[in-house]
Amino acid sequence: MPVYHQILNNRDKKQFAVLIDPDKYTIDSIVATIKLANDSGVDFLLVGGSLLISDGLDRCITSIKENTDIPVILFPGSTMQINKKADAILFLSLISGRNPDLLIGNHVIAAPYIKQTSLEVISTGYMIIDSGKATTASYMSQSLPIPYDKDEIAVCTALAGEMLGLKMIYLDGGSGADTTISPGMVELVKKNITVPLIVGGGIRSAESASEICRAGADLIVVGNAIEDNRDMIPDIAKALRKL
Ligand code: 1GP
């Protein structure tokens, strides 16, 4: 089933994506993490990063694919992170910012390359929310994040994204954020859009994962906490099943 339909069809349950940053994993740690993801019923694996330093993306996706059938979705920080071995790509438009390259410029560059692959393209309105400290995503995008407590700006931005035809909205506090996005903002955005809502950044426990899901996220993304302790995977999966 195409990834987008899987996300849409399973909206009655909370979905869980593990973010794998190829720079942070060895082949051994990928294999161990994927085993836990398989055993815990993780829905998706996101692969990418705001800035990749090593050239390990292809190797990373190859070893993931050798070890699981969980769909692999590219979460690209740049046009250099397109890889045909993945199943789908979040075609991210940074709608919280006003950097034209990340709204449309890079998309024009990437489109002909993506066209030559069988990647499922999922247009996604990507919104960076201020988490109290500069994150790689906010710095690399050279864009101003939406202030943490300005729920109405987030709602209007998400609404505009949906009206433009984007198929999902992703609220991101940035990788390694000190706090998650406020549940109040998640709730208000969710109430105002009909497309699936992804939330990530700073989710470090099963409790905060549950809180963000209860607020309205359809799919949560967890990266850093799992890099630090992969046993977080079954904990979070179990917590989401209880919701
Ligand atoms: C970052 O939303 C993702 O883009 C995940 O963030 O690494 O803080 O879990 P964390």
Side-chain angles (χ1 to χ4, degrees):
M1 192 196 311
V3 168
Y4 186 61
H5 287 122
Q6 198 172 321
I7 295 173
L8 274 181
N9 291 350
N10 291 329
R11 280 211 283 178
D12 50 341
K13 71 170 190 116
K14 298 301 181 179
Q15 299 173 72
F16 176 23
V18 173
L19 172 62
I20 304 217
D21 177 339
D23 282 349
K24 310 273 178 60
Y25 281 82
T26 60
I27 297 298
D28 285 350
S29 64
I30 288 175
V31 172
T33 302
I34 297 307
K35 183 175 182 333
L36 279 174
N38 286 332
D39 295 347
S40 307
V42 163
D43 298 283
F44 302 104
L45 297 164
L46 259 58
V47 180
S50 300
L51 176 67
L52 292 191
I53 295 164
S54 67
D55 63 350
L57 181 71
D58 187 75
R59 204 169 44 238
C60 174
I61 295 176
T62 303
S63 32
I64 292 174
K65 283 295 194 187
E66 283 167 1
N67 288 283
T68 189
D69 291 326
I70 300 172
V72 175
I73 307 175
L74 295 172
F75 176 44
S78 79
T79 53
M80 292 174 73
Q81 295 178 33
I82 297 168
N83 188 294
K84 63 181 180 195
K85 293 178 185 164
D87 298 289
I89 180 168
L90 298 185
F91 204 49
L92 301 168
S93 192
L94 182 62
I95 57 176
S96 59
R98 299 296 178 268
N99 178 341
D101 285 337
L102 302 182
L103 280 163
I104 181 65
N106 285 349
H107 310 68
V108 175
I109 294 167
Y113 292 94
I114 296 175
K115 181 86 176 156
Q116 292 170 44
T117 70
S118 55
L119 288 168
E120 177 188 344
V121 180
I122 310 175
S123 64
T124 301
Y126 186 50
M127 296 168 52
I128 301 179
I129 313 297
D130 197 343
S131 61
K133 72 169 189 187
T135 60
T136 308
S138 62
Y139 181 80
M140 289 306 293
S141 65
Q142 292 288 294
S143 72
L144 201 58
I146 293 178
Y148 177 82
D149 56 355
K150 296 293 181 192
D151 297 356
E152 65 283 7
I153 300 179
V155 168
C156 297
T157 308
L159 265 178
E162 178 167 354
M163 288 173 184
L164 279 166
L166 299 171
K167 284 154 79 179
M168 302 201 288
I169 295 293
Y170 187 155
L171 299 180
D172 198 346
S175 183
D178 284 337
T179 53
T180 65
I181 291 169
S182 82
M185 179 182 282
V186 174
E187 191 177 343
L188 267 188
V189 169
K190 175 67 184 175
K191 273 192 187 140
N192 282 278
I193 60 171
T194 61
V195 293
L197 178 61
I198 307 174
V199 181
I203 298 174
R204 300 204 59 88
S205 66
E207 292 71 32
S208 62
S210 301
E211 188 179 27
I212 292 296
C213 283
R214 271 196 303 269
D218 296 299
L219 169 65
I220 55 153
V221 180
V222 185
N224 271 259
I226 291 167
E227 284 160 20
D228 296 345
N229 172 18
R230 67 177 78 100
D231 290 329
M232 195 64 86
I233 294 176
D235 288 354
I236 292 177
K238 200 168 144 201
L240 299 198
R241 271 197 300 274
K242 282 193 197 147
L243 295 179

